[in-house]
Amino acid sequence: MKIKNLNNWGLKNDIERPMLIAGPCSAETEEQVLQTARELAKNDNVDVYRAGIWKPRTRPNAFEGVGSRGLGWLKKVKEKTRLPVCTEVANTTHVYESLKYGIDMLWIGARTSANPFAMQEIAEALKGIDIPVFIKNPITPDLELWIGAIERIYNAGITRVGAIHRGFSNYEKTMYRNLPQWQIPIELKSRIPEIPILSDPSHIGGKSELIYDLSQQAMDLNFEGLMIETHLNPKAALSDARQQITPDELASIINKLVIREPMTDDQRVLHELAELRSKINILDDQLLVTLEQRMKIAEKIGLYKKKHNLTILQNKRWEEIIYGMIKKGAEKGISRLAINRIFKAIHQESINHQTEVMKKDN
Ligand code: PEP
Ligand code: MN
């Protein structure tokens, strides 16, 4: 794909990492939209102003956005603060209305990017129009679906395309509103290296107090930017009240972020890093040899169980392993969660090997 670099998007002269999109979840009143923008415009770090005009709400009877009249308010924001403005579009009417009001940039939400019919319609409506578009990840953790949505927009001739990582729906209650599953945007970056990826810690965390850590994590993973929901009075917000922060809080979070460089040409640093990495490679090779040996023994046990007509899974034995490892892990600074994950995966692989040998004829 020939996607333009963020600095050639023509939105602002000089977009430094992190590109920052900020503004309320929803446009509520003209006063709120303009006052928030005035506050945000005082902060040089803010590159683009956001506000949702049409709100995709999970259940009916919630606040569904102010509709097209809010576009007029965004137009005023642009005139009064010079901040480029963006909003969410979910169908062709939204696209045409936004273009009519001179909205500078569009984003496509997580419920829409999950729907190829809607994506195709939006892409058709954008043919021949030169506007930047960000595509949020679909609510399901499906990288192909996300890439498909990006391709549809790109194939419509849009060269200023970006992705926004906003986390993935999950049935289980966790500390996050939407699970980050960082490996998915990371894989997106390796599949489409030129696409800028922003993270949306507001919708991932769902709580204002998680925004800083999630933002720092996104920066440490070399994401290009952040989209953060900002409200003058978060508690009174008509949507996503729990995750919005004030413009002042936003400023202090951004100032606190440590922005690390992905690359250096300092030869000494490079050399030391290479040395440490080669040590990691050696250890990884050792891990692999250990795993290979473990699987061989597991296969022997499989044959033995087969001969003596025993089941593969013996819960007591498994509990012994896992509790023993959790205890030993704690002494070595490896968390219970990590031990659980690693040893469950190893145990599963052993079971697979045993199943294979048991299936084979003698
Ligand atoms: C939003 O940005 O306010 C929004 C509705 O986001 P998402 O599509 O990520 O849920
Ligand atoms: Mn929101």
Side-chain angles (χ1 to χ4, degrees):
M1 285 188 187
K2 286 207 174 73
I3 294 173
K4 281 190 184 146
N5 179 286
L6 276 180
N7 264 313
N8 300 325
W9 280 30
L11 288 167
K12 218 178 144 188
N13 286 341
D14 177 24
I15 294 186
E16 267 176 40
R17 197 165 147 262
M19 177 191 197
L20 181 58
I21 306 180
C25 176
S26 301
E28 298 168 4
T29 65
E30 179 169 344
E31 185 48 34
Q32 168 244 8
V33 167
L34 284 167
Q35 192 51 30
T36 313
R38 278 188 211 106
E39 291 297 319
L40 290 173
K42 291 181 196 159
N43 182 345
D44 282 341
N45 294 316
V46 176
D47 298 300
V48 179
Y49 185 75
R50 67 151 277 158
I53 300 295
W54 302 279
K55 298 304 298 177
R57 305 312 298 278
T58 303
R59 306 279 302 272
N61 303 324
F63 173 64
E64 297 200 315
V66 293
S68 297
R69 70 198 163 105
L71 294 171
W73 307 341
L74 285 179
K75 200 168 166 211
K76 277 196 190 159
V77 164
K78 200 172 144 176
E79 288 159 7
K80 299 219 185 294
T81 67
R82 306 251 145 234
L83 277 175
V85 293
C86 73
T87 198
E88 172 175 350
V89 292
N91 60 36
T92 51
T93 315
H94 297 166
V95 171
Y96 296 135
E97 285 289 289
S98 302
L99 295 173
K100 199 166 84 192
Y101 282 87
I103 299 300
D104 300 287
M105 188 172 96
L106 305 173
W107 89 79
I108 291 163
R111 292 154 193 80
T112 312
S113 65
N115 178 349
F117 289 129
M119 284 310 305
Q120 193 55 37
E121 277 186 26
I122 293 170
E124 305 283 336
L126 286 171
K127 267 205 180 121
I129 291 152
D130 187 23
I131 187 166
V133 182
F134 270 105
I135 298 145
K136 288 198 168 192
N137 67 258
I139 45 179
T140 45
D142 184 337
L143 178 62
E144 296 307 316
L145 199 55
W146 196 3
I147 292 178
I150 293 165
E151 285 169 340
R152 286 176 203 277
I153 295 299
Y154 180 78
N155 292 344
I158 306 271
T159 53
R160 292 177 289 173
V161 192
I164 299 177
H165 163 237
R166 51 78 77 197
F168 302 88
S169 287
N170 189 43
Y171 180 67
E172 306 288 337
K173 283 262 164 297
T174 71
M175 68 184 278
Y176 302 109
R177 179 176 174 196
N178 293 294
L179 292 182
Q181 310 237 50
W182 296 99
Q183 71 277 21
I184 297 177
I186 290 170
E187 201 182 326
L188 174 67
K189 195 73 183 176
S190 67
R191 297 271 298 272
I192 314 178
E194 61 278 30
I195 198 165
I197 307 183
L198 313 193
S199 196
D200 171 347
S202 309
H203 288 90
I204 296 173
K207 296 180 203 78
S208 52
E209 61 274 23
L210 293 180
I211 290 177
Y212 171 72
D213 282 346
L214 286 165
S215 302
Q216 184 63 57
Q217 208 165 340
M219 289 301 97
D220 289 342
L221 291 171
N222 202 21
F223 281 43
E224 274 84 351
L226 300 165
M227 178 187 252
I228 300 182
E229 289 188 338
T230 320
H231 197 280
L232 293 173
N233 181 7
K235 280 201 185 79
L238 297 182
S239 59
D240 290 350
R242 194 57 190 83
Q243 70 197 33
Q244 302 208 57
I245 53 175
T246 64
D248 282 347
E249 287 165 337
L250 177 75
S252 75
I253 283 178
I254 300 299
N255 285 334
K256 232 172 49 179
L257 287 178
V258 182
I259 307 298
R260 300 179 171 95
E261 292 306 320
M263 281 301 243
T264 170
D265 36 18
D266 182 330
Q267 290 307 313
R268 223 192 62 194
V269 173
L270 285 174
H271 183 77
E272 279 170 9
L273 256 182
E275 223 176 277
L276 289 170
R277 284 182 174 149
S278 73
K279 284 186 184 158
I280 291 270
N281 292 345
I282 292 169
L283 290 171
D284 282 348
D285 286 343
Q286 287 175 3
L287 279 174
L288 211 55
V289 170
T290 307
L291 278 175
E292 184 195 20
Q293 289 170 350
R294 194 188 196 281
M295 293 310 146
K296 289 215 169 104
I297 307 260
E299 285 166 15
K300 272 196 186 147
I301 296 178
L303 285 174
Y304 196 76
K305 284 178 181 164
K306 182 174 181 181
K307 194 166 152 207
H308 297 279
N309 214 24
L310 294 166
T311 58
I312 292 182
L313 182 66
Q314 296 180 334
N315 272 327
K316 212 168 142 267
R317 167 74 183 137
W318 165 239
E319 276 165 23
E320 247 172 55
I321 296 180
I322 197 77
Y323 289 121
M325 280 300 162
I326 287 173
K327 205 161 151 251
K328 287 184 203 159
E331 288 159 14
K332 297 187 188 304
I334 313 280
S335 74
R336 185 188 186 98
L337 182 70
I339 295 281
N340 256 313
R341 281 188 182 147
I342 295 166
F343 281 90
K344 264 190 193 153
I346 294 175
H347 186 238
Q348 184 58 54
E349 184 64 11
S350 293
I351 290 177
N352 295 349
H353 280 249
Q354 291 193 3
T355 310
E356 276 309 305
V357 295
M358 281 182 124
K359 273 201 305 213
K360 270 196 207 132
D361 294 334
N362 288 333

